[in-house]
PDB file of all heavy atoms in Angstrom:
ATOM      1  N   VAL A   1       0.856  -1.181   0.000  1.00 94.00           N
ATOM      2  CA  VAL A   1       0.000   0.000   0.000  1.00 94.00           C
ATOM      3  C   VAL A   1       0.893   1.233   0.000  1.00 94.00           C
ATOM      4  O   VAL A   1       1.757   1.383   0.871  1.00 94.00           O
ATOM      5  CB  VAL A   1      -0.939   0.022   1.220  1.00 94.00           C
ATOM      6  CG1 VAL A   1      -1.742   1.321   1.245  1.00 94.00           C
ATOM      7  CG2 VAL A   1      -1.871  -1.185   1.195  1.00 94.00           C
ATOM      8  N   ALA A   2       0.707   2.081  -1.013  1.00 91.00           N
ATOM      9  CA  ALA A   2       1.476   3.318  -1.085  1.00 91.00           C
ATOM     10  C   ALA A   2       0.776   4.380  -0.260  1.00 91.00           C
ATOM     11  O   ALA A   2      -0.330   4.817  -0.591  1.00 91.00           O
ATOM     12  CB  ALA A   2       1.613   3.774  -2.532  1.00 91.00           C
ATOM     13  N   MET A   3       1.420   4.779   0.839  1.00 92.00           N
ATOM     14  CA  MET A   3       0.856   5.813   1.700  1.00 92.00           C
ATOM     15  C   MET A   3       1.448   7.142   1.301  1.00 92.00           C
ATOM     16  O   MET A   3       2.659   7.363   1.417  1.00 92.00           O
ATOM     17  CB  MET A   3       1.134   5.487   3.165  1.00 92.00           C
ATOM     18  CG  MET A   3       0.434   4.207   3.603  1.00 92.00           C
ATOM     19  SD  MET A   3       0.639   3.869   5.350  1.00 92.00           S
ATOM     20  CE  MET A   3      -0.358   2.376   5.521  1.00 92.00           C
ATOM     21  N   SER A   4       0.590   7.994   0.799  1.00 91.00           N
ATOM     22  CA  SER A   4       1.032   9.250   0.205  1.00 91.00           C
ATOM     23  C   SER A   4       0.470  10.436   0.980  1.00 91.00           C
ATOM     24  O   SER A   4      -0.644  10.366   1.520  1.00 91.00           O
ATOM     25  CB  SER A   4       0.556   9.319  -1.254  1.00 91.00           C
ATOM     26  OG  SER A   4       0.761  10.593  -1.797  1.00 91.00           O
ATOM     27  N   PRO A   5       1.237  11.533   1.044  1.00 89.00           N
ATOM     28  CA  PRO A   5       0.678  12.747   1.651  1.00 89.00           C
ATOM     29  C   PRO A   5      -0.594  13.157   0.915  1.00 89.00           C
ATOM     30  O   PRO A   5      -0.779  12.828  -0.264  1.00 89.00           O
ATOM     31  CB  PRO A   5       1.791  13.781   1.462  1.00 89.00           C
ATOM     32  CG  PRO A   5       3.032  12.976   1.299  1.00 89.00           C
ATOM     33  CD  PRO A   5       2.617  11.724   0.595  1.00 89.00           C
ATOM     34  N   PRO A   6      -1.477  13.883   1.553  1.00 87.00           N
ATOM     35  CA  PRO A   6      -2.699  14.327   0.875  1.00 87.00           C
ATOM     36  C   PRO A   6      -2.382  15.308  -0.242  1.00 87.00           C
ATOM     37  O   PRO A   6      -1.329  15.967  -0.239  1.00 87.00           O
ATOM     38  CB  PRO A   6      -3.484  14.995   1.999  1.00 87.00           C
ATOM     39  CG  PRO A   6      -2.455  15.403   2.994  1.00 87.00           C
ATOM     40  CD  PRO A   6      -1.403  14.347   2.941  1.00 87.00           C
ATOM     41  N   VAL A   7      -3.291  15.409  -1.194  1.00 89.00           N
ATOM     42  CA  VAL A   7      -3.087  16.309  -2.331  1.00 89.00           C
ATOM     43  C   VAL A   7      -2.873  17.745  -1.850  1.00 89.00           C
ATOM     44  O   VAL A   7      -2.089  18.500  -2.432  1.00 89.00           O
ATOM     45  CB  VAL A   7      -4.294  16.225  -3.283  1.00 89.00           C
ATOM     46  CG1 VAL A   7      -4.194  17.277  -4.377  1.00 89.00           C
ATOM     47  CG2 VAL A   7      -4.401  14.829  -3.888  1.00 89.00           C
ATOM     48  N   SER A   8      -3.492  18.084  -0.751  1.00 88.00           N
ATOM     49  CA  SER A   8      -3.367  19.452  -0.242  1.00 88.00           C
ATOM     50  C   SER A   8      -1.951  19.784   0.218  1.00 88.00           C
ATOM     51  O   SER A   8      -1.610  20.952   0.409  1.00 88.00           O
ATOM     52  CB  SER A   8      -4.343  19.666   0.919  1.00 88.00           C
ATOM     53  OG  SER A   8      -4.064  18.737   1.970  1.00 88.00           O
ATOM     54  N   ALA A   9      -1.096  18.736   0.380  1.00 89.00           N
ATOM     55  CA  ALA A   9       0.275  18.974   0.826  1.00 89.00           C
ATOM     56  C   ALA A   9       1.215  19.301  -0.327  1.00 89.00           C
ATOM     57  O   ALA A   9       2.408  19.530  -0.110  1.00 89.00           O
ATOM     58  CB  ALA A   9       0.792  17.754   1.583  1.00 89.00           C
ATOM     59  N   ALA A  10       0.695  19.320  -1.548  1.00 92.00           N
ATOM     60  CA  ALA A  10       1.550  19.607  -2.711  1.00 92.00           C
ATOM     61  C   ALA A  10       2.189  20.982  -2.567  1.00 92.00           C
ATOM     62  O   ALA A  10       1.494  21.991  -2.429  1.00 92.00           O
ATOM     63  CB  ALA A  10       0.730  19.532  -3.990  1.00 92.00           C
ATOM     64  N   ALA A  11       3.524  21.014  -2.603  1.00 93.00           N
ATOM     65  CA  ALA A  11       4.234  22.275  -2.396  1.00 93.00           C
ATOM     66  C   ALA A  11       5.372  22.484  -3.380  1.00 93.00           C
ATOM     67  O   ALA A  11       5.825  23.610  -3.575  1.00 93.00           O
ATOM     68  CB  ALA A  11       4.782  22.344  -0.965  1.00 93.00           C
ATOM     69  N   VAL A  12       5.853  21.414  -4.003  1.00 94.00           N
ATOM     70  CA  VAL A  12       7.015  21.512  -4.888  1.00 94.00           C
ATOM     71  C   VAL A  12       6.691  20.804  -6.196  1.00 94.00           C
ATOM     72  O   VAL A  12       6.183  19.675  -6.206  1.00 94.00           O
ATOM     73  CB  VAL A  12       8.262  20.876  -4.245  1.00 94.00           C
ATOM     74  CG1 VAL A  12       9.444  20.905  -5.215  1.00 94.00           C
ATOM     75  CG2 VAL A  12       8.612  21.577  -2.949  1.00 94.00           C
ATOM     76  N   MET A  13       7.005  21.481  -7.299  1.00 95.00           N
ATOM     77  CA  MET A  13       6.888  20.889  -8.632  1.00 95.00           C
ATOM     78  C   MET A  13       8.273  20.905  -9.273  1.00 95.00           C
ATOM     79  O   MET A  13       8.965  21.925  -9.255  1.00 95.00           O
ATOM     80  CB  MET A  13       5.909  21.686  -9.489  1.00 95.00           C
ATOM     81  CG  MET A  13       5.832  21.232 -10.943  1.00 95.00           C
ATOM     82  SD  MET A  13       4.907  19.700 -11.149  1.00 95.00           S
ATOM     83  CE  MET A  13       3.226  20.326 -10.960  1.00 95.00           C
ATOM     84  N   ILE A  14       8.671  19.776  -9.846  1.00 96.00           N
ATOM     85  CA  ILE A  14       9.957  19.680 -10.551  1.00 96.00           C
ATOM     86  C   ILE A  14       9.688  19.119 -11.941  1.00 96.00           C
ATOM     87  O   ILE A  14       9.139  18.019 -12.085  1.00 96.00           O
ATOM     88  CB  ILE A  14      10.948  18.775  -9.814  1.00 96.00           C
ATOM     89  CG1 ILE A  14      11.217  19.313  -8.405  1.00 96.00           C
ATOM     90  CG2 ILE A  14      12.252  18.657 -10.598  1.00 96.00           C
ATOM     91  CD1 ILE A  14      12.057  18.385  -7.561  1.00 96.00           C
ATOM     92  N   VAL A  15      10.071  19.880 -12.980  1.00 96.00           N
ATOM     93  CA  VAL A  15       9.881  19.452 -14.370  1.00 96.00           C
ATOM     94  C   VAL A  15      11.237  19.190 -14.998  1.00 96.00           C
ATOM     95  O   VAL A  15      12.149  20.020 -14.897  1.00 96.00           O
ATOM     96  CB  VAL A  15       9.109  20.508 -15.189  1.00 96.00           C
ATOM     97  CG1 VAL A  15       8.938  20.038 -16.623  1.00 96.00           C
ATOM     98  CG2 VAL A  15       7.754  20.779 -14.554  1.00 96.00           C
ATOM     99  N   GLN A  16      11.379  18.051 -15.654  1.00 95.00           N
ATOM    100  CA  GLN A  16      12.622  17.687 -16.334  1.00 95.00           C
ATOM    101  C   GLN A  16      12.313  17.113 -17.706  1.00 95.00           C
ATOM    102  O   GLN A  16      11.191  16.659 -17.975  1.00 95.00           O
ATOM    103  CB  GLN A  16      13.399  16.661 -15.520  1.00 95.00           C
ATOM    104  CG  GLN A  16      13.961  17.181 -14.201  1.00 95.00           C
ATOM    105  CD  GLN A  16      14.723  16.108 -13.466  1.00 95.00           C
ATOM    106  OE1 GLN A  16      14.253  14.973 -13.351  1.00 95.00           O
ATOM    107  NE2 GLN A  16      15.900  16.445 -12.968  1.00 95.00           N
ATOM    108  N   SER A  17      13.331  17.138 -18.557  1.00 93.00           N
ATOM    109  CA  SER A  17      13.216  16.558 -19.902  1.00 93.00           C
ATOM    110  C   SER A  17      14.497  15.804 -20.228  1.00 93.00           C
ATOM    111  O   SER A  17      15.564  16.098 -19.669  1.00 93.00           O
ATOM    112  CB  SER A  17      12.992  17.656 -20.944  1.00 93.00           C
ATOM    113  OG  SER A  17      13.120  17.135 -22.259  1.00 93.00           O
ATOM    114  N   ASP A  18      14.379  14.847 -21.142  1.00 86.00           N
ATOM    115  CA  ASP A  18      15.562  14.101 -21.574  1.00 86.00           C
ATOM    116  C   ASP A  18      16.565  15.001 -22.280  1.00 86.00           C
ATOM    117  O   ASP A  18      17.763  14.737 -22.259  1.00 86.00           O
ATOM    118  CB  ASP A  18      15.163  12.966 -22.522  1.00 86.00           C
ATOM    119  CG  ASP A  18      14.455  11.841 -21.791  1.00 86.00           C
ATOM    120  OD1 ASP A  18      14.602  11.764 -20.558  1.00 86.00           O
ATOM    121  OD2 ASP A  18      13.751  11.058 -22.440  1.00 86.00           O
ATOM    122  N   VAL A  19      16.097  16.040 -22.945  1.00 88.00           N
ATOM    123  CA  VAL A  19      16.985  16.892 -23.735  1.00 88.00           C
ATOM    124  C   VAL A  19      16.603  18.356 -23.558  1.00 88.00           C
ATOM    125  O   VAL A  19      15.496  18.678 -23.106  1.00 88.00           O
ATOM    126  CB  VAL A  19      16.924  16.549 -25.243  1.00 88.00           C
ATOM    127  CG1 VAL A  19      17.320  15.113 -25.508  1.00 88.00           C
ATOM    128  CG2 VAL A  19      15.542  16.824 -25.800  1.00 88.00           C
ATOM    129  N   LYS A  20      17.534  19.235 -23.896  1.00 88.00           N
ATOM    130  CA  LYS A  20      17.241  20.661 -23.936  1.00 88.00           C
ATOM    131  C   LYS A  20      16.965  21.142 -25.356  1.00 88.00           C
ATOM    132  O   LYS A  20      16.398  22.218 -25.551  1.00 88.00           O
ATOM    133  CB  LYS A  20      18.418  21.450 -23.363  1.00 88.00           C
ATOM    134  CG  LYS A  20      18.564  21.354 -21.859  1.00 88.00           C
ATOM    135  CD  LYS A  20      19.710  22.235 -21.381  1.00 88.00           C
ATOM    136  CE  LYS A  20      19.847  22.169 -19.869  1.00 88.00           C
ATOM    137  NZ  LYS A  20      20.996  23.001 -19.396  1.00 88.00           N
ATOM    138  N   THR A  21      17.419  20.371 -26.341  1.00 90.00           N
ATOM    139  CA  THR A  21      17.262  20.761 -27.749  1.00 90.00           C
ATOM    140  C   THR A  21      16.819  19.570 -28.575  1.00 90.00           C
ATOM    141  O   THR A  21      17.329  18.464 -28.384  1.00 90.00           O
ATOM    142  CB  THR A  21      18.578  21.312 -28.317  1.00 90.00           C
ATOM    143  OG1 THR A  21      19.004  22.403 -27.515  1.00 90.00           O
ATOM    144  CG2 THR A  21      18.401  21.771 -29.756  1.00 90.00           C
ATOM    145  N   LEU A  22      15.868  19.782 -29.494  1.00 91.00           N
ATOM    146  CA  LEU A  22      15.424  18.756 -30.438  1.00 91.00           C
ATOM    147  C   LEU A  22      15.658  19.240 -31.855  1.00 91.00           C
ATOM    148  O   LEU A  22      15.453  20.423 -32.151  1.00 91.00           O
ATOM    149  CB  LEU A  22      13.929  18.474 -30.278  1.00 91.00           C
ATOM    150  CG  LEU A  22      13.473  17.578 -29.128  1.00 91.00           C
ATOM    151  CD1 LEU A  22      11.954  17.500 -29.121  1.00 91.00           C
ATOM    152  CD2 LEU A  22      14.065  16.189 -29.255  1.00 91.00           C
ATOM    153  N   PRO A  23      16.077  18.348 -32.780  1.00 92.00           N
ATOM    154  CA  PRO A  23      16.090  18.722 -34.195  1.00 92.00           C
ATOM    155  C   PRO A  23      14.673  19.048 -34.659  1.00 92.00           C
ATOM    156  O   PRO A  23      13.697  18.500 -34.132  1.00 92.00           O
ATOM    157  CB  PRO A  23      16.619  17.455 -34.887  1.00 92.00           C
ATOM    158  CG  PRO A  23      17.334  16.708 -33.811  1.00 92.00           C
ATOM    159  CD  PRO A  23      16.594  17.001 -32.542  1.00 92.00           C
ATOM    160  N   GLN A  24      14.568  19.925 -35.626  1.00 88.00           N
ATOM    161  CA  GLN A  24      13.242  20.255 -36.121  1.00 88.00           C
ATOM    162  C   GLN A  24      12.715  19.152 -37.019  1.00 88.00           C
ATOM    163  O   GLN A  24      13.478  18.407 -37.644  1.00 88.00           O
ATOM    164  CB  GLN A  24      13.266  21.593 -36.861  1.00 88.00           C
ATOM    165  CG  GLN A  24      14.119  21.622 -38.123  1.00 88.00           C
ATOM    166  CD  GLN A  24      14.493  23.041 -38.490  1.00 88.00           C
ATOM    167  OE1 GLN A  24      15.311  23.693 -37.839  1.00 88.00           O
ATOM    168  NE2 GLN A  24      13.878  23.539 -39.552  1.00 88.00           N
ATOM    169  N   LYS A  25      11.403  19.045 -37.089  1.00 89.00           N
ATOM    170  CA  LYS A  25      10.740  18.014 -37.866  1.00 89.00           C
ATOM    171  C   LYS A  25      10.991  18.235 -39.351  1.00 89.00           C
ATOM    172  O   LYS A  25      11.044  19.361 -39.839  1.00 89.00           O
ATOM    173  CB  LYS A  25       9.242  18.055 -37.578  1.00 89.00           C
ATOM    174  CG  LYS A  25       8.400  17.029 -38.323  1.00 89.00           C
ATOM    175  CD  LYS A  25       6.937  17.180 -37.953  1.00 89.00           C
ATOM    176  CE  LYS A  25       6.069  16.194 -38.699  1.00 89.00           C
ATOM    177  NZ  LYS A  25       4.639  16.344 -38.333  1.00 89.00           N
ATOM    178  N   THR A  26      11.169  17.113 -40.094  1.00 87.00           N
ATOM    179  CA  THR A  26      11.292  17.168 -41.551  1.00 87.00           C
ATOM    180  C   THR A  26      10.066  16.508 -42.161  1.00 87.00           C
ATOM    181  O   THR A  26       9.160  16.069 -41.455  1.00 87.00           O
ATOM    182  CB  THR A  26      12.571  16.459 -42.027  1.00 87.00           C
ATOM    183  OG1 THR A  26      12.421  15.050 -41.800  1.00 87.00           O
ATOM    184  CG2 THR A  26      13.800  16.964 -41.266  1.00 87.00           C
ATOM    185  N   ASN A  27      10.064  16.389 -43.477  1.00 84.00           N
ATOM    186  CA  ASN A  27       8.926  15.751 -44.153  1.00 84.00           C
ATOM    187  C   ASN A  27       8.799  14.272 -43.787  1.00 84.00           C
ATOM    188  O   ASN A  27       7.721  13.691 -43.887  1.00 84.00           O
ATOM    189  CB  ASN A  27       9.062  15.898 -45.664  1.00 84.00           C
ATOM    190  CG  ASN A  27       8.835  17.325 -46.123  1.00 84.00           C
ATOM    191  OD1 ASN A  27       8.147  18.096 -45.452  1.00 84.00           O
ATOM    192  ND2 ASN A  27       9.423  17.692 -47.249  1.00 84.00           N
ATOM    193  N   THR A  28       9.922  13.672 -43.401  1.00 82.00           N
ATOM    194  CA  THR A  28       9.913  12.222 -43.170  1.00 82.00           C
ATOM    195  C   THR A  28      10.309  11.829 -41.759  1.00 82.00           C
ATOM    196  O   THR A  28      10.219  10.657 -41.409  1.00 82.00           O
ATOM    197  CB  THR A  28      10.872  11.525 -44.145  1.00 82.00           C
ATOM    198  OG1 THR A  28      12.165  12.137 -44.036  1.00 82.00           O
ATOM    199  CG2 THR A  28      10.379  11.632 -45.578  1.00 82.00           C
ATOM    200  N   THR A  29      10.740  12.763 -40.936  1.00 86.00           N
ATOM    201  CA  THR A  29      11.237  12.403 -39.611  1.00 86.00           C
ATOM    202  C   THR A  29      10.708  13.357 -38.549  1.00 86.00           C
ATOM    203  O   THR A  29      10.747  14.576 -38.734  1.00 86.00           O
ATOM    204  CB  THR A  29      12.772  12.422 -39.567  1.00 86.00           C
ATOM    205  OG1 THR A  29      13.286  11.625 -40.620  1.00 86.00           O
ATOM    206  CG2 THR A  29      13.285  11.879 -38.225  1.00 86.00           C
ATOM    207  N   SER A  30      10.214  12.783 -37.443  1.00 85.00           N
ATOM    208  CA  SER A  30       9.809  13.573 -36.284  1.00 85.00           C
ATOM    209  C   SER A  30      10.684  13.191 -35.098  1.00 85.00           C
ATOM    210  O   SER A  30      11.157  12.056 -35.002  1.00 85.00           O
ATOM    211  CB  SER A  30       8.336  13.325 -35.938  1.00 85.00           C
ATOM    212  OG  SER A  30       7.495  13.772 -36.978  1.00 85.00           O
ATOM    213  N   TYR A  31      10.886  14.144 -34.190  1.00 90.00           N
ATOM    214  CA  TYR A  31      11.715  13.895 -33.018  1.00 90.00           C
ATOM    215  C   TYR A  31      10.925  14.238 -31.766  1.00 90.00           C
ATOM    216  O   TYR A  31      10.130  15.186 -31.746  1.00 90.00           O
ATOM    217  CB  TYR A  31      12.995  14.746 -33.072  1.00 90.00           C
ATOM    218  CG  TYR A  31      13.844  14.448 -34.276  1.00 90.00           C
ATOM    219  CD1 TYR A  31      13.656  15.122 -35.483  1.00 90.00           C
ATOM    220  CD2 TYR A  31      14.830  13.472 -34.225  1.00 90.00           C
ATOM    221  CE1 TYR A  31      14.431  14.835 -36.598  1.00 90.00           C
ATOM    222  CE2 TYR A  31      15.613  13.180 -35.325  1.00 90.00           C
ATOM    223  CZ  TYR A  31      15.407  13.862 -36.516  1.00 90.00           C
ATOM    224  OH  TYR A  31      16.178  13.581 -37.607  1.00 90.00           O
ATOM    225  N   SER A  32      11.154  13.475 -30.693  1.00 91.00           N
ATOM    226  CA  SER A  32      10.408  13.718 -29.468  1.00 91.00           C
ATOM    227  C   SER A  32      11.273  13.463 -28.255  1.00 91.00           C
ATOM    228  O   SER A  32      12.335  12.841 -28.335  1.00 91.00           O
ATOM    229  CB  SER A  32       9.159  12.838 -29.418  1.00 91.00           C
ATOM    230  OG  SER A  32       9.535  11.484 -29.271  1.00 91.00           O
ATOM    231  N   THR A  33      10.808  13.932 -27.106  1.00 93.00           N
ATOM    232  CA  THR A  33      11.475  13.696 -25.838  1.00 93.00           C
ATOM    233  C   THR A  33      10.420  13.542 -24.752  1.00 93.00           C
ATOM    234  O   THR A  33       9.282  14.026 -24.896  1.00 93.00           O
ATOM    235  CB  THR A  33      12.432  14.855 -25.488  1.00 93.00           C
ATOM    236  OG1 THR A  33      13.131  14.534 -24.281  1.00 93.00           O
ATOM    237  CG2 THR A  33      11.687  16.175 -25.296  1.00 93.00           C
TER     238      THR A  33
END
């Protein structure tokens, strides 16, 4: 059983990504992170 603080205790948000830069999309290739 995962015992978690209540939603009201939310105080910190941390956002991260695999990369800081992506190549732009071409006609045949898309890039994502």
Side-chain angles (χ1 to χ4, degrees):
V1 176
M3 296 184 177
S4 170
V7 173
S8 59
V12 176
M13 174 75 76
I14 300 173
V15 180
Q16 292 180 314
S17 170
D18 288 341
V19 301
K20 287 183 179 178
T21 303
L22 281 177
Q24 64 201 72
K25 180 180 179 180
T26 69
N27 289 335
T28 54
T29 307
S30 296
Y31 300 89
S32 68
T33 184

